[in-house]
């Protein structure tokens, strides 16, 4: 039994509150030792009634969640300027704020306009200014774009707040079939939308490189099958229905090919499907289990997990030469690799002292760094800017999502308000 929610994305977001399930909350557990102090003043509303969204609060929360900023509490602010002429720098030096962000929000019909300015308090000068314009019902996404701009200005790294997450939530039903929901949400877990609801397992969600489509595995037909779905139209297509395993779909960087795991010809192996012709090409042929493919950013090779050496390790397959080489050697278990866009850093599940943690492997130095200290960590997904890793773990007996920075210095949890959550997939950068 299943229920599909197929609709145009803008409508889905407008109805997000009605279809919400397993909404995530943010719990910051570790930040940098010396985060940058910034005051995000409530933006002035220049429209009728009240503002549809507290833009400054969204920006404040984004920056705090990064772990690199320590936003000033609104109760400590000595003023609430909205223009440069309203700023008295001594007020902000008094509360030791290094930067000040002010802004104004206006609306015309269904459109919203956000003007914002960033000031360096110590130098007493403007550091950045910008404008974001878009649909009023996308106010939170506009706010995330402001956060991205401020984050990039102050860190030199492109922000990833205006991205989205996919994850699977599970509601336990004692004595009956559990409910599985494939959910789409903002990067902070807000505005969750259920894309697929089923009494059969749903797993392995993933994104097309342009962020317009998703893929996943569903057991709704009685056995695992790979699907892809268009987020704008809701149209979905079943790509496989072979006997045995059909799993671990992964889009190629150009979006034309999907790597997947099939066991239709015997043992589980990696296949490539041309998404236009549906033609399959088998690229591994081994009696061992080959699974969990992931593409290198240049599209010339893939990494995958295999126990061909006796224990699960990460291997790399070169599409040009057809050669396979082992990548991981430290520890007896390494699996579920995901590659950052720089092609250098790889996040994976690493077993250490009998526990499963998230680790980072530098392909240049071959250094492996364990990032997490929680137990039963799984399914890592790396942000499009390469700064944070989202993964599934256990906390207080429940499945939750958690995040850690690639240097291990920033950590936060995203537990759900309803059910367990697992298998996160961070989107690429989204087109406007």
């Amino acid at each position: 039994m299943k229920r599909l929610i197929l609709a145009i994305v803008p409508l889905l977001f407008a109805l997000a509150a009605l279809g919400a399930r397993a909404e995530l909350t943010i719990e910051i557990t570790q930040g940098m030792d010396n985060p940058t102090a910034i005051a995000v003043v409530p933006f002035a509303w220049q429209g009728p009634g009240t503002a549809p969204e507290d833009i400054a609060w969204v920006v404040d929360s984004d920056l705090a969640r990064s772990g690199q900023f320590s936003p000033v509490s609104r109760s400590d602010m000595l003023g609430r300027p909205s223009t440069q002429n309203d700023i008295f720098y001594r007020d902000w030096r008094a509360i030791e704020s290094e930067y000040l962000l002010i802004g104004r929000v206006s609306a015309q019909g269904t459109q919203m306009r956000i003007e914002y300015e960033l000031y360096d308090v110590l130098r007493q000068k403007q550091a950045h200014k910008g404008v974001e314009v878009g649909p009023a019902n996308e106010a939170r996404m506009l706010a995330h774009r402001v956060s991205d701009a401020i984050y990039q200005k102050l860190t030199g790294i492109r922000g990833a707040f205006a991205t989205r997450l996919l994850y699977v939530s599970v509601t336990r039903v004692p004595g009956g079939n559990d409910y599985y929901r494939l959910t789409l949400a903002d990067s902070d877990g807000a505005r969750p939308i259920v894309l697929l609801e089923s009494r059969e397992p749903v797993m392995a969600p993933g994104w097309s490189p342009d962020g317009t489509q998703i893929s996943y595995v569903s057991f709704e037909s009685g056995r695992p099958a790979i699907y892809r779905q268009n987020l704008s139209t809701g149209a979905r297509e079943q790509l496989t229905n072979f006997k045995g395993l059909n799993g671990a779909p992964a889009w190629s960087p150009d979006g034309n090919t999907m790597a997947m795991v099939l066991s239709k010809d015997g043992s589980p192996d990696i296949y490539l499907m041309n998404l236009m012709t549906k033609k399959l090409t088998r690229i591994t042929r081994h009696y061992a289990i080959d699974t969990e493919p992931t593409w290198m950013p240049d599209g010339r090779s893939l990494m995958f997990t295999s126990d061909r050496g006796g224990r699960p390790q990460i291997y790399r397959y070169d599409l040009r030469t057809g050669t396979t080489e082992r990548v991981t050697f430290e520890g007896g278990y390494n699996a579920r690799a995901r590659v950052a866009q720089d092609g250098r850093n790889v996040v994976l599940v690493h077993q250490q002292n009998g526990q499963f943690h998230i680790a980072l492997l530098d392909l240049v130095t071959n250094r492996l760094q364990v990032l997490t200290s929680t137990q039963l960590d799984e399914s890592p997904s790396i942000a499009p800017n390469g700064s944070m890793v989202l993964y599934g773990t256990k906390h207080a007996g429940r499945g939750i999502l958690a995040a850690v920075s690639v240097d291990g210095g920033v950590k936060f949890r995203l537990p759900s308000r309803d059910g367990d959550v697992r298998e996160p997939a961070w989107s690429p950068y989204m087109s406007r």
Side-chain angles (χ1 to χ4, degrees):
M1 178 175 125
K2 62 185 177 66
R3 176 171 61 89
L4 299 179
I5 299 178
L6 305 176
I8 298 175
V9 162
L11 175 60
L12 282 174
F13 280 111
L15 300 177
L18 299 179
R21 292 291 190 280
E23 185 174 355
L24 305 180
T25 57
I26 303 291
E27 298 175 2
I28 300 173
T29 58
Q30 179 178 313
M32 293 180 62
D33 291 336
N34 295 296
T36 300
I38 183 170
V40 184
V41 179
F43 288 8
W45 170 241
Q46 300 175 332
T50 58
E53 190 73 50
D54 189 336
I55 301 298
W57 182 254
V58 176
V59 176
D60 184 291
S61 300
D62 283 343
L63 298 179
R65 189 170 74 258
S66 76
Q68 299 192 50
F69 297 91
S70 177
V72 173
S73 171
R74 290 184 175 182
S75 62
D76 292 333
M77 294 180 182
L78 302 179
R80 297 199 173 185
S82 61
T83 67
Q84 185 173 13
N85 292 335
D86 298 331
I87 298 173
F88 295 95
Y89 287 104
R90 64 177 181 273
D91 291 346
W92 306 101
R93 289 197 301 271
I95 58 175
E96 300 182 338
S97 179
E98 299 172 61
Y99 290 93
L100 171 67
L101 181 65
I102 64 173
R104 297 161 298 282
V105 184
S106 59
Q108 290 185 340
T110 60
Q111 293 293 104
M112 174 178 284
R113 178 183 177 89
I114 303 173
E115 301 174 76
Y116 62 93
E117 300 158 18
L118 177 69
Y119 291 90
D120 185 320
V121 173
L122 298 181
R123 293 181 175 83
Q124 299 190 42
K125 66 177 186 178
Q126 187 179 94
H128 181 73
K129 68 177 181 178
V131 176
E132 290 291 342
V133 179
N137 61 2
E138 286 287 292
R140 287 189 66 91
M141 189 56 67
L142 296 176
H144 290 317
R145 290 175 184 161
V146 174
S147 303
D148 283 345
I150 300 304
Y151 182 87
Q152 182 167 1
K153 178 63 181 180
L154 297 181
T155 69
I157 301 171
R158 185 177 180 182
F161 302 111
T163 53
R164 295 193 171 110
L165 308 177
L166 283 173
Y167 58 90
V168 176
S169 63
V170 184
T171 301
R172 303 297 180 188
V173 180
N177 291 343
D178 298 334
Y179 278 100
Y180 295 83
R181 297 180 178 94
L182 179 61
T183 303
L184 173 70
D186 288 357
S187 66
D188 57 359
R191 302 192 302 166
I193 300 167
V194 178
L195 301 177
L196 172 69
E197 184 177 72
S198 176
R199 301 301 290 267
E200 303 297 333
V202 179
M203 59 183 61
W207 291 87
S208 66
D210 63 2
T212 63
Q213 300 181 75
I214 61 172
S215 57
Y216 51 89
V217 175
S218 173
F219 285 67
E220 64 196 64
S221 65
R223 61 186 181 193
I226 297 172
Y227 294 80
R228 68 171 172 176
Q229 184 167 330
N230 186 296
L231 288 176
S232 293
T233 66
R236 65 197 298 255
E237 178 185 11
Q238 184 174 334
L239 297 176
T240 68
N241 191 31
F242 300 110
K243 292 183 179 179
L245 294 177
N246 298 256
W251 301 76
S252 64
D254 63 8
N256 296 327
T257 305
M258 184 176 289
M260 58 186 63
V261 178
L262 304 174
S263 64
K264 67 184 186 69
D265 297 316
S267 61
D269 278 300
I270 310 297
Y271 291 73
L272 302 182
M273 175 181 282
N274 182 307
L275 292 174
M276 289 292 293
T277 66
K278 304 304 186 294
K279 178 183 177 181
L280 285 171
T281 302
R282 185 178 180 178
I283 65 171
T284 68
R285 296 176 181 271
H286 204 280
Y287 61 83
I289 297 174
D290 294 340
T291 187
E292 299 174 340
T294 188
W295 293 81
M296 293 297 291
D298 61 9
R300 297 176 180 176
S301 60
L302 299 96
M303 289 189 178
F304 63 96
T305 306
S306 178
D307 64 353
R308 59 182 62 193
R311 296 290 304 276
Q313 296 291 344
I314 306 300
Y315 293 77
R316 184 170 179 172
Y317 179 87
D318 190 306
L319 291 169
R320 294 168 298 177
T321 65
T323 58
T324 300
E325 62 175 344
R326 183 169 165 177
V327 175
T328 54
F329 293 91
E330 184 176 336
Y333 182 103
N334 293 285
R336 194 64 182 267
R338 293 294 181 264
V339 188
Q341 282 300 307
D342 62 8
R344 174 171 179 167
N345 289 327
V346 179
V347 293
L348 49 86
V349 178
H350 172 75
Q351 188 179 37
Q352 184 181 70
N353 299 322
Q355 303 294 335
F356 295 94
H357 303 298
I358 304 302
L360 180 79
L361 175 65
D362 186 320
L363 294 178
V364 175
T365 65
N366 289 322
R367 177 175 178 265
L368 188 142
Q369 177 188 3
V370 176
L371 301 178
T372 64
S373 57
T374 42
Q375 302 177 9
L376 298 175
D377 301 334
E378 61 180 8
S379 305
S381 179
I382 194 162
N385 64 2
S387 66
M388 299 291 293
V389 181
L390 194 64
Y391 61 98
T393 189
K394 292 284 187 180
H395 178 69
R398 295 177 57 198
I400 68 165
L401 303 185
V404 59
S405 60
V406 293
D407 62 3
V410 177
K411 297 177 180 177
F412 59 88
R413 293 192 293 256
L414 295 90
S416 74
R417 298 174 181 173
D418 176 30
D420 292 355
V421 284
R422 60 180 67 163
E423 300 204 58
W426 211 317
S427 80
Y429 286 112
M430 313 293 287
S431 59
R432 290 173 178 257

